[in-house]
Amino acid sequence: MASRGRKRKAEAAVAVAEKREKLTSGGKGVEEVTVVIEHCTSRVYGRNAAALSQALRLEAPELPVKVNPAKPRRGSFEVTLLRPDGSSAELWTGIKKGPPRKLKFPEPQEVVEELKKYLS
């Protein structure tokens, strides 16, 4: 019997990762160091993202902080540092954390400390 054209899981994962990278970078490199917060559109996620972006802006006001530049993945909460050379550094990921849900969200000070490590 012929296959129905379904993608295998490994191929689908690679395709999703490539699409995400393309969307995050906007199809072009960033001109300066940027912090990107990707969070699910649920209210709880939004409140935590707002608190985190405020803490990052207070700590490094010269750094642009983008919240959900592309459509976020379901249940995601990630903070990524994008560099002008095209590389990125993950400051926090809550995708594999939980339950309980509160484990998905970092303390803002933890992310600020990680950011300091990458900027110095």
Side-chain angles (χ1 to χ4, degrees):
M1 178 179 245
S3 73
R4 293 186 170 182
R6 293 182 186 158
K7 287 186 178 181
R8 292 174 46 207
K9 286 185 180 183
E11 292 172 356
V14 169
V16 167
E18 289 172 353
K19 182 178 177 185
R20 182 173 160 241
E21 183 65 32
K22 185 177 176 184
L23 289 174
T24 303
S25 65
K28 59 185 176 195
V30 291
E31 293 82 28
E32 58 185 339
V33 177
T34 307
V35 177
V36 176
I37 300 174
E38 177 191 5
H39 69 87
C40 179
T41 54
S42 166
R43 268 187 262 165
V44 174
Y45 289 79
R47 275 187 251 135
N48 286 296
L52 182 59
S53 66
Q54 183 180 13
L56 289 170
R57 286 184 178 122
L58 287 173
E59 187 63 37
E62 72 281 355
L63 237 96
V65 178
K66 295 181 181 180
V67 179
N68 281 348
K71 184 179 178 186
R73 294 167 291 160
R74 181 179 176 268
S76 66
F77 196 95
E78 287 190 331
V79 183
T80 308
L81 180 70
L82 298 178
R83 297 187 184 108
D85 62 0
S87 64
S88 64
E90 205 166 83
L91 302 176
W92 173 268
T93 182
I95 291 178
K96 299 287 184 188
K97 299 190 187 300
R101 187 187 302 190
K102 70 178 184 178
L103 295 178
K104 285 185 169 284
F105 310 114
E107 290 296 321
Q109 200 56 37
E110 289 179 41
V111 178
V112 168
E113 293 301 319
E114 278 294 312
L115 179 65
K116 286 179 182 178
K117 287 180 194 175
Y118 283 103
L119 292 179
S120 56

